[in-house]
């Protein structure tokens, strides 16, 4: 495979860096801005809104993460082939970005399931569980910040590497 041209390397750096940074901001905005507004809603509405927020994130974040990680891994491959130590930074950034998948499965999946299941319950049953639902959603927001940190760390690592600072 031919080495990347300087222009194509910059394009991949831009894709990898900006995508991880945008994903970090998107994830953080769920926890810092959206969830506090949801907690002001009546419980049945809160759960419907959570379900829609979850679906929107589920439909976009994984694909964008794959785009970012693929860009970074291609940069790592090219850097290693060229004998540059930058490959380590790009691999690290890609691993951090992809780390949101096991993090979600291990740390968040149980809470996600409970909240999504409650969104399907009858309004009367949900109202009786209002306090626990709000506590679960608050927990979800806190756990979700972990994904934001992984993605922000990926963006910083990729940026540092692109600037030639390496790991």
């Amino acid at each position: 495979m031919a080495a990347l041209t300087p222009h194509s390397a910059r394009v991949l750096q831009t894709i990898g860096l900006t995508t991880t940074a945008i994903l970090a901001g998107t994830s953080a905005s769920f926890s810092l801005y959206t969830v506090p507004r949801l907690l002001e809603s009546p419980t049945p509405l809160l759960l419907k809104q959570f379900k829609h927020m979850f679906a929107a994130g589920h439909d976009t974040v994984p694909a964008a993460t794959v785009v970012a990680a693929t860009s970074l891994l291609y940069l790592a491959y090219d850097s290693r082939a060229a004998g540059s130590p930058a490959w380590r930074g790009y691999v690290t950034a890609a691993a951090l970005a992809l780390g949101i998948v096991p993090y979600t499965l291990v740390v968040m999946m149980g809470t996600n399931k409970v909240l999504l299941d409650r969104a399907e319950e009858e309004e009367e049953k949900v109202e009786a569980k209002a306090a626990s639902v709000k506590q679960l959603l608050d927990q979800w927001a806190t756990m979700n910040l972990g994904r934001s940190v992984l993605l922000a760390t990926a963006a910083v690592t990729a940026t540092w590497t692109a600037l030639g600072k390496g790991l």
Side-chain angles (χ1 to χ4, degrees):
M1 184 177 326
L4 289 172
T5 65
H7 177 71
S8 58
R10 289 288 181 234
V11 169
L12 287 175
Q13 287 171 334
T14 301
I15 291 168
L17 305 176
T18 58
T19 304
T20 53
I22 289 168
L23 288 168
T26 299
S27 182
S29 73
F30 288 153
S31 293
L32 300 173
Y33 300 109
T34 305
V35 168
R37 299 301 66 84
L38 296 182
L39 290 170
E40 296 171 350
S41 302
T43 306
L45 178 60
L46 171 158
L47 287 166
K48 286 178 188 171
Q49 291 170 326
F50 174 80
K51 183 179 173 183
H52 292 298
M53 178 188 75
F54 180 88
H58 186 268
D59 291 346
T60 57
V61 172
T65 302
V66 168
V67 167
T70 301
S71 298
L72 296 167
L73 289 171
Y74 198 92
L75 287 163
Y77 173 81
D78 187 67
S79 297
R80 184 166 173 116
S84 169
W87 71 270
R88 290 184 194 98
Y90 290 125
V91 166
T92 301
L96 286 163
L98 291 171
I100 68 169
V101 175
Y103 180 89
T104 301
L105 294 173
V106 172
V107 175
M108 299 182 69
M109 193 55 72
T111 302
N112 290 349
K113 183 172 175 12
V114 172
L115 286 167
L116 293 170
D117 287 349
R118 296 243 172 105
E120 301 302 321
E121 292 180 4
E122 296 174 14
E123 286 190 20
E124 299 79 31
K125 287 178 96 175
V126 169
E127 280 297 346
K129 302 173 185 174
S132 69
V133 166
K134 290 186 180 205
Q135 180 182 11
L136 277 173
L137 185 56
D138 191 50
Q139 279 181 309
W140 182 92
T142 301
M143 291 185 292
N144 185 59
L145 286 174
R147 293 193 291 199
S148 304
V149 168
L150 285 169
L151 291 164
T153 305
V156 169
T157 302
T159 301
W160 191 253
T161 302
L163 291 173
K165 305 301 182 186
L167 283 182

